[in-house]
Amino acid sequence: MDAELATGDLAAVPAGAWVLLVAQGPELGPVARALDAAATGALAQAVGDGGMVGRFGQRRELTLAGTGLAAGRAVLIGVGALDQLDGYRLRNALELAVRGLDQARVAVALEPAVVAAVSDRDGIGPADVARVVAEGAGRATGEWSARGRHRAAFWVETVIVAGLGDLDPAAAAAALRAGAQQAEAANRVREWQWRPANQLTPATFADEAASLARESGLEAEVLDGDHLKGLRMGALLGVAQGSREAPRVLVLRYRADPQAPTLGLVGKGITFDAGGISLKPPALMHRMKADMSGAAAVAGAMSLIGRWRPPVNVLAVMLLTENLPGGGALKPGDCLTALGGQTIEVTNTDAEGRLVLADGLGYAAHLGATHLVSVATLTGAVEIALGHPVTAAMTNDPALLERVRHAGRLAGERVWELPMFPEYDVCLDSDVADMVNAAESRAAGTINGAVFLREFVDQRPWVHLDIAAAAYNFQANLVGQVPKGPTGVMTATLAHLPALLSG
Ligand code: BES
Ligand code: MN
Ligand code: ZN
């Protein structure tokens, strides 16, 4: 997919359809008004008595054939109140607008008031807003969106953006290209999230993600079971022992400068989480095919990092296994020893994500990561706490978290902190080992996951991102605001993070 700047006469832009952003008011901006002159007033009419009020996600498609516009169609998309518009909402509005348009070439009329609103709110530049817009339009395409009985395959090939006249054309064009790359990476991640567990095993994910990484100029190494035994990854191997599919660990490296910091990205890659012997209830269990969303986001981010070449080293560790209740499975009460020597009493085999991440964090630290970020669909509790439109973050280092939040604003993704007060530490108390993997109490479940992981970061600055809710949107009343299905969340945020760690 490409994204480029509109040049010359807007009416003549060679696209199948225009996307026009309508803020609550409603009012057409100057770019839309210029188009409307060629469209003989059809756009203004849709906003006037046509009922388009600019409510977020409100969508109207118009046919413009026979007017002075080269594009035969337009879609008006509501972006809601400008004082509530952030990059996340803008990106989603673009995806909602373009999804289902069935046009290979889509033009977007970006309005100055929209750019200013998002740029003010998120503290990012106008070129960053343009990048988020290009990503949003490009997200409306992809293999995963073409699955199912009622879906037709739909591909966007080119996004053409108008309304960036105040920007240096070279900078605007570069931002749009980066946005197109972000869309491609996020869609790749979403396709992995969507793929059922019989088609995406630890081995197939490792091979596909390794090829993507190599195409992006990165070093990739796939570790198999024997190698993991040699490394003493007892926690990961404990989770894997209940399945026939063998585990893998995928290690990717981007090398910038040996003197620079090394960011370690550690992703949970459970290709199916049945819960193990602590079996999950059947309702919605099929959604656990997406329990590899953290690893997928890390792999997608690394593909962008390989292309963008930031000045900081990045090391990625993805822990890939199923969590099934086979005859060899881990049993509640079993004790494991993690790579770093810590002993763990497994009180609940369904708290497997933190077990595999324990070894992943330990391994990333061992390989030289100076900063760590873990990304995982770790707890159902995060959906109760925050729902789908935001990622929960916990940290031992507020400065690193601030950089992650900044990366999130550059990416049009939201990150919200949950506390790690010392009172939460009791969740680890065990009578037989250094810690339990799951507390008796269900209170503060998301935080308890982070309290456990902190035991494995070897004092390094670390941020943990719980994406168990943000990785997917299935919430019916959010579907008009957040596109339904897998989101590829944190792919772009993690890709922007390394550049923010230098200096
Ligand atoms: N993969 C789940 C978390 C999850 C739940 C992701 C719902 C997406 C949607 C994780 O492995 C899990 O089962 N966590 C347990 C932890 C508990 C046993 C301490 C949970 O959240 O119930
Ligand atoms: Mn689980
Ligand atoms: Zn899980």
Side-chain angles (χ1 to χ4, degrees):
M1 194 201 109
D2 298 322
E4 55 195 47
L5 213 48
T7 50
D9 178 16
L10 289 191
V13 165
W18 274 97
V19 175
L20 301 137
L21 310 174
V22 183
Q24 210 157 293
E27 212 182 292
L28 286 181
V31 183
R33 285 205 304 274
L35 289 168
D36 202 30
T40 58
L43 305 173
Q45 200 202 326
V47 169
D49 42 24
M52 179 67 191
V53 298
R55 184 164 34 75
F56 189 89
Q58 192 188 3
R59 191 177 182 283
R60 286 279 184 285
E61 269 191 53
L62 306 176
T63 304
L64 301 173
T67 70
L69 286 184
R73 287 160 80 190
V75 54
L76 300 165
I77 189 78
V79 297
L82 284 181
D83 63 2
Q84 290 180 343
L85 189 60
D86 62 2
Y88 177 74
R89 276 166 82 78
L90 182 59
R91 190 201 74 185
N92 288 343
L94 264 299
E95 181 172 346
L96 292 166
V98 176
R99 213 188 243 201
L101 257 188
D102 205 16
Q103 297 292 334
R105 295 174 68 85
V106 174
V108 179
L110 198 46
E111 299 292 348
V114 167
V115 176
V118 173
S119 147
D120 280 0
R121 190 179 178 93
D122 286 348
I124 61 177
D128 295 314
V129 179
R131 186 171 40 69
V132 166
V133 163
E135 182 188 339
R139 285 169 68 89
T141 192
E143 283 173 54
W144 72 270
S145 70
R147 281 158 198 260
R149 188 151 70 100
H150 301 289
R151 287 178 187 275
F154 166 57
W155 302 90
V156 176
E157 280 157 25
T158 310
V159 176
I160 305 165
V161 181
L164 292 170
D166 295 342
L167 277 179
D168 166 55
L176 294 174
R177 269 197 307 276
Q181 292 174 327
Q182 284 178 207
E184 269 179 13
N187 286 334
R188 189 78 201 76
V189 171
R190 295 160 107 185
E191 197 278 326
W192 275 323
Q193 292 183 277
W194 194 246
R195 191 122 43 103
N198 62 337
Q199 293 171 23
L200 190 74
T201 63
T204 54
F205 178 88
D207 291 346
E208 290 181 24
S211 320
L212 175 68
R214 291 186 186 114
E215 282 163 28
S216 316
L218 303 170
E219 293 168 34
E221 195 186 356
V222 178
L223 312 181
D224 64 13
D226 288 337
H227 200 136
L228 305 177
K229 273 188 204 110
L231 289 170
R232 303 175 148 270
M233 288 211 185
L236 167 68
L237 289 166
V239 173
Q241 75 193 36
S243 312
R244 287 199 193 155
E245 290 293 341
R248 295 284 189 277
V249 170
L250 173 61
V251 181
L252 305 178
R253 275 180 180 271
Y254 163 71
R255 291 182 207 268
D257 166 6
Q259 306 304 315
T262 298
L263 172 63
L265 301 177
V266 180
K268 170 178 173 181
I270 302 294
T271 56
F272 191 77
D273 179 14
I277 295 298
S278 311
L279 193 63
K280 287 182 181 297
L284 306 185
M285 199 204 269
H286 59 278
R287 290 187 184 171
M288 289 301 131
K289 70 180 183 180
D291 209 21
M292 30 53 70
S293 299
V298 169
M302 289 301 284
S303 74
L304 293 171
I305 289 166
R307 294 192 166 101
W308 295 350
R309 310 203 68 77
V312 160
N313 307 302
V314 189
L315 161 69
V317 177
M318 283 146 274
L319 299 310
L320 305 165
T321 176
E322 299 179 329
N323 184 31
L324 294 187
L330 211 54
K331 296 167 286 293
D334 286 0
C335 288
L336 301 173
T337 304
L339 171 136
Q342 305 89 335
T343 60
I344 306 164
E345 180 191 1
V346 179
T347 48
N348 190 325
T349 66
D350 198 12
E352 85 297 342
R354 61 198 73 183
L355 294 174
V356 305
L357 290 173
D359 281 344
L361 287 164
Y363 191 50
H366 168 79
L367 291 177
T370 55
H371 298 71
L372 290 166
V373 175
S374 45
V375 198
T377 48
L378 206 71
T379 65
V382 79
E383 184 181 8
I384 309 293
L386 298 174
H388 297 266
V390 60
T391 291
M394 289 139 279
T395 191
N396 62 359
D397 187 272
L400 181 59
L401 177 57
E402 194 38 53
R403 287 171 196 212
V404 173
R405 301 166 91 123
H406 185 184
R409 294 193 298 272
L410 289 169
E413 297 192 303
R414 297 183 182 144
V415 172
W416 201 262
E417 185 177 14
L418 297 180
M420 293 190 75
F421 298 123
E423 285 73 13
Y424 297 118
D425 298 356
V426 294
C427 70
L428 297 180
D429 290 352
S430 167
D431 294 331
V432 302
D434 293 337
M435 67 199 93
V436 294
N437 76 326
E440 254 164 53
S441 158
R442 285 157 49 93
T446 301
I447 294 167
N448 293 346
V451 167
F452 179 91
L453 295 178
R454 193 179 52 198
E455 297 294 306
F456 302 89
V457 304
D458 201 18
Q459 315 292 335
R460 285 158 176 79
W462 153 79
V463 168
H464 170 57
L465 300 170
D466 193 331
I467 58 169
Y472 254 84
N473 176 34
F474 281 129
Q475 195 181 322
N477 61 356
L478 267 188
V479 164
Q481 303 195 53
V482 181
K484 186 179 177 183
T487 61
V489 73
M490 291 296 112
T491 303
T493 297
L494 296 176
H496 283 282
L497 181 60
L500 302 178
L501 293 184
S502 73

